[in-house]
Amino acid sequence: ITYGDWSSDVCSSDLTTRWGFFGTVTRKLEDWVDLEMEASFRNARTHTQAAPTPVTGDQPPDLFSFPGGGTFLVPASNPYNPFGVDVTFRRRLLEAGPRINDINTDAVRFMPGLKFHMTHDWEGETTFLYNRVVTENRGKNYLNADAVQAALNSTDPTTALNIFAPAVPGGNSPALIQSLKTETFRRGETQILFGDAKANGPLCQMPGGDVMVALGLEGRRERYSDQSDPLSAGERIVSQGASSGAGSREAGAAFVELAIPLVGRDNASKLVQGLDLQLAGRMDHYSDFGTAWTPKIGLKYRPTDELVIRGSYGQGFRAPSLQELYLGQSSSFLEFIDDQDPLSPYYNQPHEYRVINSGNPSLDPETSDNWSAGIVYEPKKFPGLTLSVDWGYIHQKDAIADYDPYYVLQNFPGNVVRSTTTHEITSLTNTWANLGARKVQFMDFAATYVKPTSLGQFTYAGDFTWLYSWKDQAAQGEPFTQYRGTYQYPEWRGVGSIFWEKGKWGAGLTVNWISSYDQLYKATAPSVDDMVTVDLQVSHEFPHGFKATVGVLNIADTAPPFSDGESEGYDWVTHDPRGRFVYFEVTKKF
C-alpha cells in the first residue's frame, strides 16, 4: 500500500547582503619603476528558505531509496498504521518547518606589482596575486534519515512517527519532530597564488613601421577543498546529500606575441592604407595534464581611412577546473523531470527523482579551433559614428559540460537507473563529462555615435549578438543536436544605451533585451517570452576626487517570464529575478 500527502517544492525565498572594499595604490619609487598595488575584501551573507523536507517511501527496495541506500516505510507494527501491512508513502514533513540555509562567503584579493620603464621604449611589469574565497553553509530543519526510520519502526505511541496525522497541532508532538531534526554544515575553499613577468617594446623596424613584441612568463598554484559534516557526507540527510572533495595543481606558461606592420603610412598605396599581421603563441604546462601549445594568427587590412577588415584564427586549450575534477559526490531531489519511457508509471508526468552529482577525475582538457572575421566602418561624413559587424566560429573538442538532468535522461540511458519491477527511475548520475564536440557560430552587430552639443556630449550605443548556431555532439560518432532557440539558448541578446556628460554631471539610460526561446516541456506555453529591462543612473564629481553615482536597475520592476522548466517558475540561468534594484556608489581617487 502506498500513502501520499505531497506538495510541490515551490515555497522558497532568499535574502542576500553584501559589503566590501576595494583600494588601489600607485607610487613612483624611482624614475624607472612604479609600485602598483590592489587589495579588496568582499563578504556576502545569504539566507535561504525552502519548503520542508520531502520524505519518500520504498517498497520494493529498489523503488524509492533515500540517500545512503536505506528504505523509508511504515511497518505494520507502527501503532498509527491502520492498514495492518507495511506501507510506503510520500509526505512532505511540514511539521519540521522550512529548510533554512545561512551561507557566508569571504573573498580576499591582494595584488602588488612593479612597472618598469626601460630603455629604447621598452616597458616591463611583474605582478603577484593572492586570492582566497571561503564559503560556509549552515543548514537547519533538515532530517536525520536514521532517526526518521527509527521513529517509523517504533512500536511506542510516544516515540512513533505518525505520517497519517495532519501537520497541525495535535498530530506528531513537537518533541518528536525535534528529535528527527539535524543541522548541516559545509565548507568550501579555493585559493590561487599567481605570479608573472611581462615585457613589451619595439623589436625592429620595417617599411610599415616598428615591429612590436610582447613576451612573458606565468606561474600558478591552485588549491580547492570542499568538506561536509559527517551525516551529509555519508548521505544520511533525507532528500539531501553531500560529500567531501579536494585537489591542487601547479601550472606555468610562456607566451610571445608579434605585431608586424606590413603596410603603414610610409609605404601605403591607394588600395592599401594599412596591413598589420599578428602572430602569437602560448605554451602551458600543468602538473596534472602535461603541456599544450596554442598558436594564433590575425590580419587587419585597411583599404581606406574609413574601412577596416579583420580576421583571425587561433587554437584554445583549457584544463578541467579542480571542482570539475574533484567535487565530491552528492545527491539531490530535483523536480519536473519528464520521463518519456512508456513503461514508467510516471510516463509523461514531471516528477522528482534522485540526481547524483560529482566531479570526474577522468576528464580530458578542452581544445578548440577559433575563427573570426569582421568589418569596422567609420564614415567621414558622420564624425563620431562607428559601425561594426563580426562573425565568430568556435569548434570545441572534448568540451566539458555539466548536463541538465533532463538532457541526461534523453541522451545517456546508461546514466539512468530504473526499478527492476516498476521501471521507474530510481536515480540519474550527472557528472561533468567531455562532449564529442561543440560547434558555435555567432554574429555581433555594434554601433556607437558620439555627438558633442552645446548641452553636453551624448553617446549612443547598441550591441546585439545573434546566436546563429549552437550544436553539441554527446559522443564521437553521434549526430549533432541544434540548441539555438531552445530552452536556455536564446537566439538574440542586445543592449542599447544613451549616456550624457556635461562638466561634472553624467547620466545614462540602458535597455537590455533577451529574445524568446522554447519552453522545456511546452506544457502550458510553447515559448519563454522575451524580456526587456531598463536601467538608469546619474553621477556627479565632487572636489578632492570624490564621485557619487546613484542608479536603478530594472526601473520598471519587470519580472522574469514564466518558465515551465524550473520549480521557481522562471529560468534562473538566463534571467535575473531581482526586480527593481536601487544602488548608490561613492568612489575616491587618491
Side-chain angles (χ1 to χ4, degrees):
I1 298 176
T2 299
Y3 171 80
D5 182 4
W6 200 251
S7 58
S8 178
D9 186 4
V10 297
C11 180
S12 61
S13 63
D14 65 88
L15 174 67
T16 300
T17 57
R18 299 181 179 91
W19 72 274
F21 69 83
F22 171 83
T24 64
V25 174
T26 300
R27 181 177 177 83
K28 183 177 289 292
L29 301 179
E30 299 288 347
D31 289 341
W32 56 275
V33 60
D34 298 330
L35 170 67
E36 293 188 348
M37 186 179 301
E38 293 182 7
S40 66
F41 174 79
R42 300 288 181 184
N43 174 264
R45 295 178 181 270
T46 301
H47 177 86
T48 68
Q49 180 173 303
T53 298
V55 185
T56 56
D58 179 350
Q59 186 171 358
D62 60 352
L63 179 57
F64 274 111
S65 61
F66 66 74
T71 59
F72 287 131
L73 55 84
V74 184
S77 58
N78 184 297
Y80 300 108
N81 185 344
F83 301 104
V85 295
D86 292 346
V87 177
T88 66
F89 68 96
R90 298 180 183 180
R91 189 178 190 277
R92 194 176 292 277
L93 208 63
L94 302 180
E95 303 96 312
R99 286 169 288 178
I100 295 173
N101 284 88
D102 289 301
I103 305 168
N104 183 76
T105 298
D106 291 326
V108 178
R109 184 174 183 269
F110 177 62
M111 188 173 71
L114 296 172
K115 278 196 171 183
F116 303 96
H117 313 290
M118 298 178 284
T119 58
H120 305 295
D121 296 324
W122 274 76
E123 299 284 334
E125 63 179 272
T126 182
T127 304
F128 172 78
L129 170 67
Y130 171 76
N131 192 86
R132 181 171 178 260
V133 180
V134 178
T135 299
E136 293 184 349
N137 186 343
R138 299 179 183 273
K140 299 178 181 179
N141 294 340
Y142 286 86
L143 301 180
N144 183 319
D146 298 314
V148 170
Q149 189 58 62
L152 290 170
N153 292 340
S154 176
T155 59
D156 183 348
T158 63
T159 58
L161 177 62
N162 182 3
I163 61 99
F164 307 100
V168 295
N172 291 288
S173 70
L176 173 61
I177 297 300
Q178 187 63 34
S179 71
L180 308 179
K181 293 184 183 182
T182 188
E183 295 186 357
T184 63
F185 178 77
R186 189 169 186 174
R187 184 183 188 276
E189 178 181 347
T190 60
Q191 180 175 294
I192 297 176
L193 296 175
F194 172 85
D196 71 350
K198 297 180 287 187
N200 66 85
L203 182 63
C204 61
Q205 194 171 41
M206 294 181 61
D210 288 335
V211 176
M212 303 297 292
V213 61
L215 44 87
L217 297 171
E218 296 178 359
R220 183 172 71 253
R221 176 177 174 81
E222 303 174 29
R223 185 168 62 85
Y224 153 79
S225 66
D226 182 14
Q227 304 293 325
S228 297
D229 64 89
L231 282 178
S232 297
E235 297 196 321
R236 311 309 296 172
I237 304 296
V238 180
S239 297
Q240 184 76 18
S243 63
S244 300
S248 64
R249 68 152 61 108
E250 292 80 38
F255 62 87
V256 61
E257 180 177 345
L258 292 169
I260 306 172
L262 302 176
V263 178
R265 290 184 178 181
D266 294 338
N267 63 339
S269 62
K270 185 176 181 179
L271 296 179
V272 185
Q273 296 296 310
L275 184 63
D276 297 295
L277 176 66
Q278 179 193 35
L279 298 174
R282 180 182 176 94
M283 180 78 74
D284 287 277
H285 178 77
Y286 288 81
S287 59
D288 48 0
F289 285 100
T291 303
W293 164 256
T294 50
K296 179 183 178 181
I297 181 172
L299 192 66
K300 183 169 68 174
Y301 166 50
R302 184 182 289 273
T304 69
D305 290 338
E306 297 179 319
L307 186 65
V308 172
I309 301 172
R310 57 195 181 191
S312 68
Y313 165 76
Q315 295 180 351
F317 173 88
R318 185 180 81 85
S321 70
L322 295 178
Q323 289 89 339
E324 291 167 342
L325 290 168
Y326 304 119
L327 180 69
Q329 180 174 297
S330 63
S331 298
S332 60
F333 283 80
L334 300 181
E335 291 196 44
F336 304 123
I337 300 178
D338 195 354
D339 192 356
Q340 294 297 308
D341 191 325
L343 298 178
S344 170
Y346 295 99
Y347 168 63
N348 206 28
Q349 298 180 36
H351 191 62
E352 271 189 334
Y353 298 105
R354 182 187 180 196
V355 178
I356 302 171
N357 299 280
S358 69
N360 183 359
S362 300
L363 287 174
D364 292 322
E366 292 180 346
T367 59
S368 65
D369 294 293
N370 313 296
W371 289 265
S372 70
I375 298 175
V376 181
Y377 181 51
E378 298 175 323
K380 292 183 178 180
K381 292 183 178 180
F382 298 96
L385 177 63
T386 302
L387 305 173
S388 65
V389 178
D390 289 281
W391 165 85
Y393 174 59
I394 303 172
H395 182 190
Q396 283 183 306
K397 294 171 281 292
D398 295 319
I400 299 171
D402 178 19
Y403 300 111
D404 181 271
Y406 188 65
Y407 182 87
V408 174
L409 181 61
Q410 291 178 308
N411 295 277
F412 295 95
N415 288 21
V416 181
V417 179
R418 293 182 178 274
S419 166
T420 57
T421 55
T422 67
H423 208 64
E424 179 179 354
I425 296 171
T426 59
S427 68
L428 294 91
T429 299
N430 183 22
T431 64
W432 276 283
N434 291 109
L435 294 171
R438 170 176 288 160
K439 297 180 180 180
V440 179
Q441 291 191 65
F442 59 90
M443 295 190 72
D444 284 331
F445 305 88
T448 303
Y449 183 45
V450 181
K451 180 66 175 177
T453 71
S454 59
L455 299 177
Q457 178 173 284
F458 292 85
T459 301
Y460 308 87
D463 195 339
F464 295 86
T465 298
W466 176 32
L467 182 62
Y468 174 73
S469 177
W470 185 301
K471 295 181 178 180
D472 281 355
Q473 182 189 43
Q476 291 185 2
E478 295 190 7
F480 282 85
T481 301
Q482 175 64 263
Y483 285 96
R484 181 202 66 227
T486 65
Y487 188 64
Q488 296 183 345
Y489 292 86
E491 190 170 346
W492 284 93
R493 294 175 183 262
V495 176
S497 63
I498 302 175
F499 279 84
W500 165 80
E501 293 181 11
K502 184 176 177 62
K504 298 181 181 298
W505 287 93
L509 181 73
T510 302
V511 180
N512 311 281
W513 172 60
I514 299 176
S515 69
S516 63
Y517 51 93
D518 291 346
Q519 293 277 10
L520 182 59
Y521 298 117
K522 302 180 177 64
T524 58
S527 63
V528 178
D529 293 336
D530 60 355
M531 184 175 183
V532 178
T533 60
V534 180
D535 306 332
L536 179 66
Q537 73 172 47
V538 178
S539 64
H540 181 68
E541 294 182 6
F542 293 91
H544 309 297
F546 283 97
K547 182 178 180 180
T549 303
V550 61
V552 183
L553 303 181
N554 192 359
I555 195 170
D557 199 25
T558 303
F562 170 75
S563 163
D564 65 11
E566 311 296 334
S567 60
E568 294 86 352
Y570 68 91
D571 176 7
W572 53 269
V573 173
T574 307
H575 296 125
D576 188 339
R578 290 180 297 175
R580 185 184 298 114
F581 182 83
V582 181
Y583 64 92
F584 179 68
E585 180 181 76
V586 176
T587 59
K588 163 70 170 136
K589 291 184 178 180
F590 295 92

